[in-house]
Amino acid sequence: MIDLWFLVIAFLWTGYFVLEGFDFGVGMLAPFVGGDDAEQRQSLQTIGPVWDGNEVWLITAVGAMFAAFPAWYSGMFSSFYLPVVLVLAGLIVRGVGLEWRGKVTRPAWCDLGIVVGSALPAFLWGAVFAGLLFDGAVAALVGGAFTLAMSLLHGAVFLALRTEGHVRRRARVAALATGVVALPLGVVSLSGIASANGSATGATSVPAQAAALVAMAVLAAAVALIWRRREGWAFTATAAAIALTSVAVFARLKQAPLPGLTLAEAASAPYTLTMLTWIGLITLPFVLAYQAWTYWVFRKRVALPR
């Protein structure tokens, strides 16, 4: 049960990073790839039907941590209290900006809220998880910079895939520019995850090493695919790179979710884990099916609003 629920939590966090990754990227890029208000609305409409549903992955992941591994939950969120509070503030400001942008006459403050509210979580989650793996502020800054760059890249490719006209062309340029930054940051960050040196766990993890190395290769392939204008495959590659990075991180955390704490020590009682398993078997398939249906319904390119 302990290993099962660790895998469930890793899956939920991975889904959050992949789906909210392009959400954050679109939010940060919308004012820059849109030449006017109509083009900004075109960019934001690509995430309009799904952004709030994507945040459910975060709520579910944190709730599962609280129920299945309370010691891990309390230690992680108390150790990184300020970054987590800033993440929540960013998500609130971003949500307000997205909801109110079409209801005010001067949406500049909404645009600023969307950009800042997207950038804060994109950076801080990388810094938090880097802080779980490594000691030192430098590692946290590099981890945050990497996740910020990956969100920009993922969002730019998503915009190129889902829009038409000038926004699509500008998004492709933005994807190439952010890819140039994300690739070296990815090499540094993923090499650190693959290496045992400086890790808080202090042990080598073969799955983490394999996932990190494949993630580097897939990230390089994503940049090449963007250059060749293969937007669908490029988006698949950026999503895979984020997912593999998450797999590498959680493979390292499985050894010790917090320094000096094992999974068995962090876990709830067997009865609690058993009840959670039954609840998850009943509810999780419906959530996944509903979100898959939502993406299928809103799969077409977004044209410029008339």
Side-chain angles (χ1 to χ4, degrees):
M1 287 293 183
I2 293 175
D3 289 341
L4 171 64
W5 272 98
F6 181 82
L7 290 175
V8 170
I9 290 169
F11 170 75
L12 292 171
W13 276 106
T14 300
Y16 173 70
F17 292 141
V18 171
L19 297 176
E20 278 283 81
F22 69 76
D23 265 4
F24 293 148
V26 170
M28 289 183 281
L29 289 169
F32 305 101
V33 299
D36 54 26
D37 182 70
E39 290 181 346
Q40 286 191 48
R41 285 189 285 124
Q42 180 187 8
S43 299
L44 294 175
Q45 281 176 7
T46 62
I47 62 172
V50 298
W51 69 267
D52 49 354
N54 291 341
E55 291 185 353
V56 172
W57 288 79
L58 173 63
I59 297 170
T60 309
V62 173
M65 285 181 67
F66 172 77
F69 298 99
W72 182 19
Y73 167 88
S74 61
M76 174 178 168
F77 289 102
S78 61
S79 298
F80 298 96
Y81 181 80
L82 180 58
V84 171
V85 169
L86 291 176
V87 165
L88 294 177
L91 292 175
I92 292 170
V93 170
R94 174 173 170 264
V96 171
L98 287 168
E99 291 292 343
W100 278 88
R101 192 182 189 282
K103 301 177 176 66
V104 295
T105 55
R106 295 181 180 179
W109 67 269
C110 293
D111 293 336
L112 178 62
I114 294 169
V115 172
V116 174
S118 299
L120 274 176
F123 175 84
L124 289 172
W125 280 130
V128 167
F129 278 90
L132 289 174
L133 293 177
F134 303 99
D135 295 323
V138 174
L141 289 174
V142 172
F146 174 52
T147 54
L148 179 65
M150 281 302 300
S151 294
L152 285 166
L153 174 61
H154 199 35
V157 177
F158 182 76
L159 279 173
L161 179 65
R162 290 292 314 281
T163 57
E164 300 175 350
H166 296 298
V167 171
R168 182 184 181 187
R169 288 191 287 273
R170 295 189 193 108
R172 190 183 295 123
V173 173
L176 287 171
T178 53
V180 171
V181 177
L183 189 54
L185 283 172
V187 171
V188 173
S189 300
L190 292 166
S191 297
I193 294 173
S195 172
N197 294 330
S199 170
T201 62
T204 300
S205 171
V206 174
Q209 292 175 334
L213 291 174
V214 176
M216 281 189 269
V218 173
L219 180 56
V223 176
L225 288 165
I226 295 164
W227 178 261
R228 292 174 60 86
R229 300 188 178 186
R230 304 293 299 273
E231 295 153 354
W233 284 108
F235 181 74
T236 302
T238 54
I242 294 171
L244 286 165
T245 300
S246 180
V247 168
V249 168
F250 279 94
R252 295 296 299 275
L253 289 175
K254 190 175 186 298
Q255 299 172 325
L258 291 172
L261 182 71
T262 66
L263 275 182
E265 294 169 340
S268 294
Y271 178 79
T272 301
L273 296 179
T274 301
M275 293 300 298
L276 286 174
T277 301
W278 284 108
I279 294 170
L281 287 173
I282 295 171
T283 59
L284 191 58
F286 289 100
V287 175
L288 295 177
Y290 173 76
Q291 192 152 38
W293 176 79
T294 302
Y295 276 96
W296 174 256
V297 170
F298 296 101
R299 67 188 182 277
K300 295 182 179 180
R301 290 186 182 272
V302 177
L304 190 67
R306 297 183 183 276

